[in-house]
Each structure stands twice: as C-alpha cells, then as structure tokens.
C-alpha cells in the first residue's frame, strides 16, 4: 500500500480538499487505482448533526453516511462512489477504542492516545484502502497543523510512514503564500512556520502546494524549496482558478504526476484527460447564459449548497452556456419586493433541501412564482415537500396546509413524519438515509429526463408526502411520477408546465463533471429553451 497524506498549514479553507481530489485524479488518469480518506478531527461521530453554517453542506453517501463535504469533491474528481469508512472522525475513532476497552480487548493495559488511538487510526486507514482495492490511498487531514485536535492523526501518519518504509508514503503540505503590500510581495514566512510545525512532530513534507492569489515566481519557489527542504520541482503553485476543475491540469503542467509516481515507485503512464479537457473546453464556451435562482435559508454560506453549485458547473461543462446562480434568502424573500420582482425574471428556480421553520414561507412563495409564471423549477427534498404544501394551499384552497415539521397542528398535514420515524429518539444518523430505489412512471417527464424507469438516488429526510392528498393533487394537475418500491411518494410533477419537478431525494450528490445529473441538465435546457422562444411565438395559434 502507498499513501499520500495531505496536510494544511497557515489557515483552513485553502482548498486542501480540491488539492487532494486533484492529486487523486492525476493518479487515476494514469490508470492507478486510488481512493481518498478524509480525516475530520472533531468529536462528532459524523457531520449529520452539524449546522451547515459550521461546516457547509452535509454530503450523503450511498450507504447513508452523513459525511463532510470534501467527500463530495472526492467523488466528483475521481468519478467514484465512496462509503462511510472513508470519513474518519475523532468521534468514530474514540468510540471504537472505548468500545474495545469495554470489551476487554486491551485487558491489563493503560489505554492511551499512543499507541491505542494512533493504532486505531492506522488500522482504519489500512482497512479502508484495502477494501477499496486501492494501490494508493490519499489521506486528507482536516484543520491546520498545530491544532490540538489533529495531533493524534498526524502522529498516526508519521508512524504509518515508518511502518510502510522508504518510498511508500508522501506528505503533501498545502499552505498559503499571501501577497501583501503596495507592490504585491509574496510572503513565504507563514509557510516556513507551518513546515517547522510539521517537522516538530516528525513529518518532513515531500511536496509543498502553495495557494495564493497569483502564481509563484521562480524566486519564491526557490526560497520555499531552500527553507523547507523540498526540491524546487516539488514546490507547486496553485493560484486561484476560474473553476476548481482546472486544478488537476495545473498540477499536471508542473510535473506533479511524474514527481509523485517517481517518489512512490509507481508506473508513470501517459495520463488520459480526454473527457476532462472536453468538459473544460465546453465550460469556457459561454454560448448563451441563464440566471438560476436558488432560494434557501443558508445562502450566506455558499458551501451549504456546494453540491448544487457543482451540479450547475457540470451542466455548464456539458451545454456551454454560462450559468449564473442568484442567491435568494428564503427568510427575507416574503418581505423584499425588489427580490420578488427579480425572482420573477429568473430563467429557472431551484429550491433546495433544509430543515425547520425558518425560510419555509419564502420557499413557498418562490414555488408559487415558478408554478404561475411559469418558470422551470426543481424542488429538492424540502423544496419538493414545500411544492406539495404550496399546491395544497393555492390550487386546492387549503389555506392552512403545511408540513407537520413546521405546524404540528395543521388541519391539512400535506407533509408528515415518516411512519418509522415516530419512535426515533436520537438525531444522529436516524433519518431515511442513503441510496434508495425509485420507480418512475413510464411516459412521465421524469422518466424522459432520466431515460429510465428505475433509478437509485440518495436520501436524507424524516418527513414525506401524505398519501391522503394525492387524489386531490391529481385532480388539479399535480402528478405523482415516482415512488419507492414500498409506495412512498418520491416525485411530483406538473405535466402542464414547461418543467416543474419536485423530488424527495438529493440528485445534487450524484452529479459529476463528466456525467452531469440529468435533472440539472434538463432544468437548464428548459430555461435556455424558454429564453430562445420570444413570448409571442411561445403559444402558436392552433392549427385548423
Ligand atoms: N426537513 C425535511 C425532512 O426532514 C427535508 C429534509 C431535507 O431537505 N434534507 O424531511
């Protein structure tokens, strides 16, 4: 087994996840089986109970794990699906060590961070790499070097490097090279300090990835090389890019692929980027543009909607039209006439998922606008549930209709708690989660969009559409066009609308640069088609 550990210095949020994903892509492009593991040194067992404002979106895996959003980047860059064991947290590691202690596995011993916790970390990394059949496992350590939380993980990686032996492990350190002062001078001191910090715990980086606003000059590269004890060809400059999908090629252009394969004794085949380059070429075309409104309650932190954003990038890379996302704070929308007027002019509307009461009325208004105008609409999870609520209120005239998540005493509970959720007490990992089969109605819009009548999509919800209202929905034109094998409503659509689809699942998690998700693709296609047809021609006179 070969391992590439990726650490971060100076500040968090440098794009370590993108660096790690891109390194994975470099190896994969050479036909080397790779996998990626994310270490999150927090005490939460998983990301499921965390507010999106703290860590961004919760990314759901096929097996139902609620994971860190970096797992989404890994899946998108590698074009591979991962499972929950690929997201190690302090919570998971400690839980397993404590369970072993209670079982008596360490009988007679004092259980300590070293060797027991570090041993558990190494065991987990080895097992995951083996189960994935990977020749190279990339391990990204969350946080920055020097944090107390990440110490056991870095120590475990140091031990692992010793155990694997020379030429089996590389340490890539991602740091910030800020540009300061009136003449825009690039500063290497923070990098020097963070490398010193790494060295103090016995890790010598084999490669430095320098992030910053501009490319590093040869002088600065030489300086980092000298101070940090890495060869100049292993000092890599990753300035900000127009799209993250440029990063693998940027690394490739600086010889990172060759350098790493040499370092780890791997075959350096000619990398294949055919599809990736096609994606980028189309992405840059800028043939037409659409404005897509996203109406959610976490809009101040875009990372809360990362997979949706990426799904639209993937569509741009397929269609060549520039997609501008416009963010609407669902909480503010009902009181903001200017925003409402702008929303009415958007080319498409997406209402993503969410939880709780805040912002739901804004979502309902946005859906009503999409239905009335009509504007192509995609409702995801809570956005789908609110589409049912909005329809009940305004098409069925049930003014008090609601989800019981917001109003437990509504006379018209159009959306209600899933039966199996009724006895559930804890909040961690207890929703209806992960990949579930969905059967689509033949001839429906959604089955056309997918080109299939059976799909698997990832879920994360506690509530569902109340079947008691379905007959009335149908009579008024809202159709159920997808169900789970046990009959739950998974898809609602308005056949008399250019594009109005609500889905209980989360399509955003399955979109990939080389395989954009059909729902996002069709939403944007409908928006483009609507723009091309002038209003006067939109409804041709009936042929007599
Ligand atoms: N809050 C809703 C539910 O629990 C929707 C969840 C979501 O959007 N992910 O069912």
């Amino acid at each position: 087994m070969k391992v590439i550990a990726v650490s971060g210095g100076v500040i968090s949020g440098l794009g370590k996840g993108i660096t790690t994903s891109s390194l994975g892509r470099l190896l994969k492009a050479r036909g080397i089986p790779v996998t990626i593991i994310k270490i999150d040194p927090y005490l939460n067992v998983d990301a499921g109970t965390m507010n999106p404002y703290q860590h961004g979106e919760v990314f759901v895996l096929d097996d139902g794990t609620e994971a860190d959003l970096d797992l989404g980047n890994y899946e998108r860059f590698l074009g591979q699906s991962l499972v929950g064991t690929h997201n190690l947290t302090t919570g998971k590691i400690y839980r397993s060590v404590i369970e072993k202690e209670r079982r008596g596995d360490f009988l007679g011993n004092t259980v300590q961070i070293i060797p027991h916790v570090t041993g558990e970390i190494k065991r987990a990394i080895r097992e995951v790499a083996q189960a994935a059949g990977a020749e190279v496992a990339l391990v990204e350590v969350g946080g920055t070097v020097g944090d107390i939380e990440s110490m056991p993980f870095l120590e475990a990686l140091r031990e692992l490097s010793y155990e694997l032996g020379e030429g089996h492990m590389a340490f890539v350190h991602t740091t910030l090279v800020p540009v300061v002062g009136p003449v825009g001078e690039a500063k290497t001191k923070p990098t020097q300090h963070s490398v010193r910090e790494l060295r103090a715990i016995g890790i010598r980086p084999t490669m430095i990835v320098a992030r910053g606003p501009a490319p590093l000059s040869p002088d600065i590269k030489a300086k980092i090389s000298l101070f940090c004890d890495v060869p100049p060809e292993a000092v890599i400059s990753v300035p900000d890019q127009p799209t993250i999908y440029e990063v693998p090629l940027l690394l490739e252009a600086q010889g990172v692929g060759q350098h790493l394969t040499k370092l780890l004794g791997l075959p350096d085949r000619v990398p294949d980027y055919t599809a990736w380059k096609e994606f980028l070429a189309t992405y840059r075309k800028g043939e037409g543009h659409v404005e897509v409104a996203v109406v959610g309650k976490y809009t101040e932190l875009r990372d809360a909607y990362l997979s949706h954003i990426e799904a639209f990038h993937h569509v741009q890379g397929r269609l060549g039209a520039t997609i501008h996302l416009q963010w609407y704070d669902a909480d503010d929308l009902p009181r903001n006439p200017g925003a409402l007027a702008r929303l009415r002019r958007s080319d498409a509307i997406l209402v993503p998922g969410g939880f709780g009461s805040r912002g739901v009325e804004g979502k309902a208004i946005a859906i009503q606008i999409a239905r009335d105008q009509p504007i192509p609409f995609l409702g995801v999870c809570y956005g789908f549930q609110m589409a049912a609520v909005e329809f009940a209120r305004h098409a069925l005239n049930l003014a008090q209709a609601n989800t019981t998540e917001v109003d437990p005493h509504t006379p018209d509970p159009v959306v209600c708690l899933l039966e199996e959720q009724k006895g559930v007490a804890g909040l961690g990992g207890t929703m209806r989660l992960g990949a579930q089969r969905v059967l689509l109605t033949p001839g429906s819009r959604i089955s056309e969009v997918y080109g299939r009548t059976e799909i698997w999509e990832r879920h994360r919800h506690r509530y569902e559409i109340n079947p008691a209202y379905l007959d009335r929905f149908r009579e008024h034109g809202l159709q159920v066009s997808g169900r789970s094998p046990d009959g739950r409503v998974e898809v609602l659509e308005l056949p008399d609308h250019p594009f109005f689809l609500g889905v209980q699942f989360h399509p955003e998690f399955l979109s990939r640069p080389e395989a954009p998700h059909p729902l996002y693709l069709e939403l944007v296609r409908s928006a483009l088609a609507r723009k091309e047809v002038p209003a006067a021609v939109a409804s041709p006179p009936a042929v007599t």
Side-chain angles (χ1 to χ4, degrees), residues 355-358 360-361 382 385-386 389 393 398-417 463 466 469:
F355 294 86
S357 304
R358 194 171 68 82
V360 285
E361 292 311 317
Y382 215 1
Q385 296 173 358
M386 286 313 297
V389 170
R393 286 182 187 169
L398 306 172
Q400 309 277 312
N402 217 328
T403 161
T404 55
E405 182 170 358
V406 174
D407 178 4
H409 308 295
T410 169
D412 288 298
V414 175
V415 178
C416 54
L417 203 60
Y463 294 82
N466 183 344
Y469 291 86

Side-chain angles (χ1 to χ4, degrees), residues 476-495:
H476 289 80
L478 184 65
Q479 304 275 359
V480 173
S481 55
R483 286 184 188 264
S484 63
D486 57 358
R488 301 168 210 267
V489 180
E490 292 271 5
V491 187
L492 287 169
E493 64 182 61
L494 278 176

Side-chain angles (χ1 to χ4, degrees), residues 60 352-356 363 380-385 403 405 415-418 421 431-432 459-464 504-506 508-509:
V60 181
F355 294 86
K363 289 182 181 183
V380 169
C381 207
Y382 215 1
F384 149 83
Q385 296 173 358
T403 161
E405 182 170 358
V415 178
C416 54
L417 203 60
L418 285 159
Q421 285 285 324
M431 283 185 246
R432 180 172 180 247
H459 292 67
R460 185 176 187 240
H461 66 120
R462 282 200 175 85
Y463 294 82
E464 66 174 338
Q504 179 60 77
F505 47 82
H506 289 269
E508 71 273 23
F509 296 140

Side-chain angles (χ1 to χ4, degrees), residues 31 40 68 72 85 162 181-182 228 237 240 476 517-518:
D40 281 306
D68 181 79
T85 45
Y162 173 73
C228 302
S237 171
D240 297 338
H476 289 80
H517 195 286

